[in-house]
Amino acid sequence: MDPAALERINTLLDRDVELREKIKDQVNELDKKTRTMVGVLNKIHSTPPDAMPSLLDTVKPTLLSVSEVTYALAMIIPENQFWRWKEMWSNSIRTAVFAAVLIEYLINGTLLSLEGVAYVLGVKEEWSDRLALPVEDYLHGLITLVNELSRLAVNAVTLGNFEEPIKISIFVKELFAGFSMLNLKNDALRRRFDSLKYDLKKIEEVVYDVSLRKLAEMPSTSGP
């Protein structure tokens, strides 16, 4: 092989190694933030409703600081190379999505949209060839949300919050219905979606128990 060609190949390899290390440094920063958020959010299972706002106030700054990492990544990734490198941070971004949608649910009882999550995480549309929030990562975050809410339904009852499982049940059923209408071709995503029926069953069992013991007023169902 021509020495000049070898030199060029070596230069490209060195450049890739350097870029990978830079990306890894930012992913490590993102991991620190997501671990912090998950650690704080795990306390929701032992936090009474009146103390929940204060708990969420402690995690919001960390969530908003994720935008510092997404900006840094967008500045590092070369143009049109998003799909080449995205696997390095996919798991971390999914955890950040989970934190964002869980906080939104706990504050407002609503679902944060894909665009809403991207805004919170500081992912800008003009970066799409370098950094984006794929639909699959958003959906993985929503599935983790349901996993967490099924735990919360059980633990809320332990804390005497008998209305929360009913709210969770309504929210998760609507979310599950939405998922059911999607054409999921990603195998890993489809398998995780299939597991949601177990979370839904757990929530329904809690709601049934609360209803049977008349611990909370059940929502009225309107006729056809």
Side-chain angles (χ1 to χ4, degrees):
M1 188 179 290
D2 180 64
L6 283 172
E7 183 64 27
R8 183 171 181 277
I9 290 171
N10 272 325
T11 300
L12 291 173
L13 289 172
D14 290 343
R15 193 177 299 165
D16 270 5
V17 169
E18 183 181 349
L19 178 56
R20 184 177 294 275
E21 288 303 313
K22 287 181 179 179
I23 294 172
K24 191 182 296 183
D25 287 343
Q26 293 304 320
V27 172
N28 287 339
E29 286 300 312
L30 182 55
D31 285 341
K32 289 177 188 176
K33 294 178 186 297
T34 55
R35 282 196 299 269
T36 297
M37 289 189 290
V38 169
V40 174
L41 289 171
N42 195 49
K43 296 178 182 178
I44 65 174
H45 301 286
S46 56
T47 301
D50 59 346
M52 193 69 77
S54 297
L55 177 67
L56 297 178
D57 283 343
T58 66
V59 76
K60 282 184 202 172
T62 307
L63 176 62
L64 295 176
S65 73
V66 169
S67 62
E68 298 168 6
V69 179
T70 54
Y71 174 81
L73 282 170
M75 296 303 102
I76 291 170
I77 308 298
E79 292 182 2
N80 302 311
Q81 290 197 20
F82 168 67
W83 293 103
R84 181 181 180 190
W85 301 102
K86 72 173 287 292
E87 292 304 321
M88 290 186 67
W89 62 77
S90 279
N91 288 335
S92 305
I93 284 291
R94 290 171 187 177
T95 305
V97 170
F98 157 67
V101 293
L102 178 58
I103 291 169
E104 173 69 18
Y105 171 79
L106 293 171
I107 293 174
N108 299 314
T110 55
L111 177 64
L112 193 60
S113 67
L114 172 64
E115 295 78 12
V117 173
Y119 178 80
V120 169
L121 300 184
V123 179
K124 298 183 179 180
E125 191 174 345
E126 57 262 34
W127 299 341
S128 60
D129 65 330
R130 291 170 286 155
L131 183 73
L133 178 59
V135 174
E136 289 85 357
D137 289 346
Y138 172 69
L139 294 177
H140 273 289
L142 295 189
I143 292 172
T144 306
L145 170 67
V146 175
N147 300 155
E148 197 72 11
L149 290 180
S150 70
R151 286 184 59 208
L152 183 59
V154 175
N155 292 319
V157 172
T158 305
L159 292 172
N161 183 3
F162 304 116
E163 290 79 19
E164 190 62 37
I166 299 169
K167 295 176 185 175
I168 290 173
S169 176
I170 294 169
F171 178 82
V172 170
K173 282 179 180 177
E174 290 181 359
L175 194 54
F176 185 83
F179 261 99
S180 300
M181 291 187 285
L182 297 175
N183 182 19
L184 300 176
K185 295 183 178 180
N186 180 297
D187 288 342
L189 194 57
R190 188 169 60 249
R191 282 194 299 271
R192 290 199 68 203
F193 165 70
D194 289 342
S195 72
L196 286 186
K197 59 179 176 287
Y198 301 108
D199 291 305
L200 193 55
K201 181 180 179 183
K202 184 194 295 186
I203 295 167
E204 288 175 341
E205 287 172 351
V206 175
V207 171
Y208 176 75
D209 186 56
V210 168
S211 171
L212 197 64
R213 294 159 60 191
K214 294 181 168 42
L215 296 173
E217 184 176 347
M218 302 301 291
S220 58
T221 54
S222 57

